[in-house]
Amino acid sequence: MKTDPGANTVTHPEGQGRNPESRPVSVETVPASSSWTKAEPASLMEAVVDKANMQQAYRKVVANKGAPGADGMTVQQLADHLKQHWPTLRERLLAGEYHPSPIRAVEIPKPKGGTRQLGIPTVTDRLIQQALLQVLTPTFDPSFSASSYGYRPGRSAQQAVSAMKAHVTAGHRWVVDLDLEAFFDRVNHDLLMARVARRVRDKRVLRLIRRYLEAGMFQHGLATPRRQGTPQGGPLSPLLANILLDDVDKELERRGHCFCRYADDMQIYVRSRRAGERVMASLSDFLESSLRLTVNRDKSAVDRPWRRGYLGYTLTRHTRPKLTLAKGSLQRVMQRVRELLKRGKGQNIRRITEELAPILRGWASYFSLVDVKRPLEALDGWIRRRLRCVAWRQWKRPRTRRRKLQALGLGDQHARMSTGNGRGPWWNAGASHMNQALPRRWLEQQGLISVLDTV
């Protein structure tokens, strides 16, 4: 499917991206024609289309990879597209006449069940959004709250978790856990644009942002217009979410509350249940009346911090609380391992451990703050048993199993008794003969990493 770089409207929903044989993208392929000029200090849109800013945006979009949008164009095809169409795109951006393509709707599973709808812009629109983000971030980010951690330069979820622990350790042993119902789908465009316009004067930039907010959602062959929401999937959405929710941060700061916010994940820490209930009532009213956001009453609660997870972590119930895994974090990574092993059916152990390594390394890196190590030890043992179970299933026949066990160091009688026990694969995977045949050291030699050692 192709787009007209001027009107940028979808013309063929079933088409594919351009030139599937195009060479890998290089930064050097971004056009450096005379149409790329230095930004004029007084104009924000000129700063957006500035050569250095666009090249930085290009590198970021290519590095992030990502799926094609509604037009089917891949990041590998972006350079050739820009060589041909960038002068026209630039002129339309500077004239305030550029209209984004519809975004492609994609459903992804939520960690706690259900699905979330992402909106995948075309790679051209991702490039322009990234260029906008780079220019707008220095304008808005310095004024954001120190208690806001999501999608900000130099800030992370782990910092939010550390702040949560510090607040509870300091004696704020009740938490107001606020859940905003379908936040990214409910953002009011007028309220958001009014807050953007507080700092942005360039009407071309304001029009372009609103057009991105209102770009149709392409699903089942049709583009449906949108009148609210800022779909997750584009580079600009997290900044727009922070701009709107900064009003909540400022209100909490005005009241003198301790809190942590990571995008729409928000917790306020107080010293008593009564104080928590007052905060829950007044803040819910503020969100619904001032920002037209809906608080999910079923998922929100005033409770003890150790009964409520935050960003995958929770706390132990101690005078000096310790960080541990929240309920569900362990189950989610175990489910990912199960899915990988299911996909890798028939592969040898080394190939499976190679695919497991980046998943376990990334998971362990995120949970490196945990103070309680027992769940990590249990996870390591469970993964080793799953791999032994894979091996047992692959050996299939009793004769093959006996021969494999003997080759791995078991005596003849021990091997015969083990293969004739009549038990299932999971039982055998935890039995002494498989632990002796495939010990931890052997699995590590095949490439298995330990989450406990990685943390």
Side-chain angles (χ1 to χ4, degrees):
M1 156 173 147
K2 297 184 179 180
T3 59
D4 173 4
N8 218 43
T9 55
V10 177
T11 58
H12 195 295
E14 301 301 326
Q16 301 298 317
R18 297 170 180 78
N19 190 12
E21 301 299 323
S22 62
R23 63 187 178 284
V25 174
S26 164
V27 172
E28 299 303 320
T29 63
V30 177
S33 67
S34 59
S35 61
W36 292 67
T37 60
K38 291 185 178 180
E40 297 171 12
S43 177
L44 201 59
M45 186 59 84
E46 274 74 13
V48 171
V49 301
D50 172 65
K51 176 181 177 179
N53 187 57
M54 292 302 300
Q55 288 184 323
Q56 181 184 347
Y58 173 86
R59 289 192 293 269
K60 185 74 172 177
V61 169
V62 171
N64 286 343
K65 300 178 182 177
D71 65 353
M73 188 195 302
T74 66
V75 291
Q76 290 80 13
Q77 296 164 322
L78 179 58
D80 288 339
H81 177 73
L82 291 176
K83 277 188 174 182
Q84 182 177 356
H85 298 295
W86 172 248
T88 304
L89 290 171
R90 181 181 182 278
E91 288 173 10
R92 296 191 71 82
L93 287 166
L94 289 173
E97 297 173 356
Y98 179 81
H99 289 264
S101 293
I103 55 180
R104 183 167 67 89
V106 177
E107 298 282 342
I108 63 166
K110 288 184 178 180
K112 296 181 181 178
T115 60
R116 173 184 291 117
Q117 188 177 71
L118 295 186
I120 309 299
T122 65
V123 288
T124 302
D125 283 323
R126 295 210 292 272
L127 175 73
I128 297 168
Q129 284 196 35
Q130 180 64 34
L132 276 168
L133 176 68
Q134 291 164 187
V135 169
L136 293 174
T137 295
T139 300
F140 287 95
D141 191 79
S143 66
F144 287 158
S145 169
S147 297
S148 169
Y149 297 91
Y151 306 104
R152 296 182 58 194
R155 290 180 165 264
S156 67
Q158 288 182 320
Q159 290 176 335
V161 169
S162 296
M164 176 263 288
K165 179 182 178 183
H167 292 319
V168 177
T169 302
H172 301 86
R173 297 174 72 81
W174 288 88
V175 61
V176 181
D177 193 356
L178 269 171
D179 184 272
L180 296 178
E181 189 172 333
F183 166 72
F184 284 91
D185 297 330
R186 300 282 180 84
V187 169
N188 182 282
H189 291 172
D190 292 335
L191 288 175
L192 173 57
M193 289 308 304
R195 282 147 182 80
V196 175
R198 290 171 183 173
R199 292 173 180 262
V200 174
R201 295 289 180 264
D202 192 324
K203 287 183 169 41
R204 297 167 299 177
V205 172
L206 293 173
R207 281 197 299 269
L208 182 58
I209 293 173
R210 183 174 278 276
R211 286 168 183 165
Y212 274 120
L213 291 172
E214 296 176 348
M217 185 76 77
F218 196 82
Q219 193 172 24
H220 307 305
L222 296 172
T224 306
R226 292 183 300 114
R227 292 177 173 81
Q228 64 178 5
T230 171
Q232 294 169 274
L236 201 55
S237 289
L239 175 63
L240 297 177
N242 277 333
I243 290 171
L244 184 65
L245 291 175
D246 188 56
D247 278 24
V248 186
D249 299 342
K250 295 299 189 287
E251 178 67 15
L252 289 169
E253 289 176 341
R254 187 185 67 78
R255 300 181 188 184
H257 288 306
C258 299
F259 69 97
C260 293
R261 183 176 67 78
Y262 190 92
D264 60 330
D265 286 318
M266 188 185 321
Q267 289 192 341
I268 303 96
Y269 307 94
V270 295
R271 295 183 182 274
S272 69
R273 176 183 285 277
R274 181 174 294 181
E277 289 171 349
R278 286 197 302 268
V279 171
M280 174 69 80
S282 61
L283 195 58
S284 297
D285 181 66
F286 175 83
L287 287 163
E288 292 174 354
S289 61
S290 297
L291 299 182
R292 302 183 196 173
L293 297 172
T294 303
V295 174
N296 188 324
R297 310 283 178 173
D298 294 332
K299 293 184 179 180
S300 300
V302 177
D303 207 342
R304 294 293 195 178
W306 44 86
R307 295 191 191 127
R308 309 292 294 189
Y310 189 56
L311 301 177
Y313 285 83
T314 192
L315 293 167
T316 59
R317 186 176 179 175
H318 293 102
T319 305
R320 296 192 63 81
K322 297 180 179 181
L323 286 170
T324 186
L325 296 176
K327 182 180 179 180
S329 295
L330 201 59
Q331 284 82 355
R332 285 192 288 274
V333 73
M334 290 169 71
Q335 183 58 33
R336 289 191 69 186
V337 172
R338 288 190 191 97
E339 290 169 358
L340 187 146
L341 294 180
K342 188 175 181 180
R343 290 198 310 270
K345 200 172 182 179
Q347 294 181 351
N348 62 39
I349 298 297
R350 181 176 290 278
R351 178 65 62 86
I352 293 171
T353 56
E354 286 175 356
E355 294 184 24
L356 266 177
I359 294 173
L360 298 180
R361 192 173 288 113
W363 187 89
S365 175
Y366 179 76
F367 287 104
S368 60
L369 297 181
V370 295
D371 302 309
V372 181
K373 306 297 184 182
R374 287 191 300 275
L376 304 181
E377 294 173 358
L379 177 61
D380 271 345
W382 179 84
I383 292 171
R384 290 194 294 270
R385 185 169 179 177
R386 293 290 302 191
L387 290 171
R388 293 180 184 119
C389 187
V390 168
W392 187 263
R393 288 180 185 276
Q394 288 179 346
W395 295 343
K396 293 183 180 178
R397 298 174 181 277
R399 182 180 299 177
T400 304
R401 289 169 177 167
R402 184 175 71 248
R403 190 168 60 248
K404 289 284 188 180
L405 291 173
Q406 289 172 336
L408 290 165
L410 267 68
D412 182 64
Q413 185 176 359
H414 191 182
R416 286 179 182 276
M417 290 178 61
S418 299
T419 54
N421 59 47
R423 303 288 190 125
W426 183 246
W427 185 93
N428 278 281
S432 62
H433 54 271
M434 286 300 285
N435 279 269
Q436 182 179 337
L438 305 179
R440 175 176 178 172
R441 185 176 63 254
W442 184 87
L443 291 170
E444 288 173 348
Q445 289 172 351
Q446 306 309 303
L448 180 65
I449 68 170
S450 163
V451 294
L452 185 62
D453 294 342
T454 307
V455 167

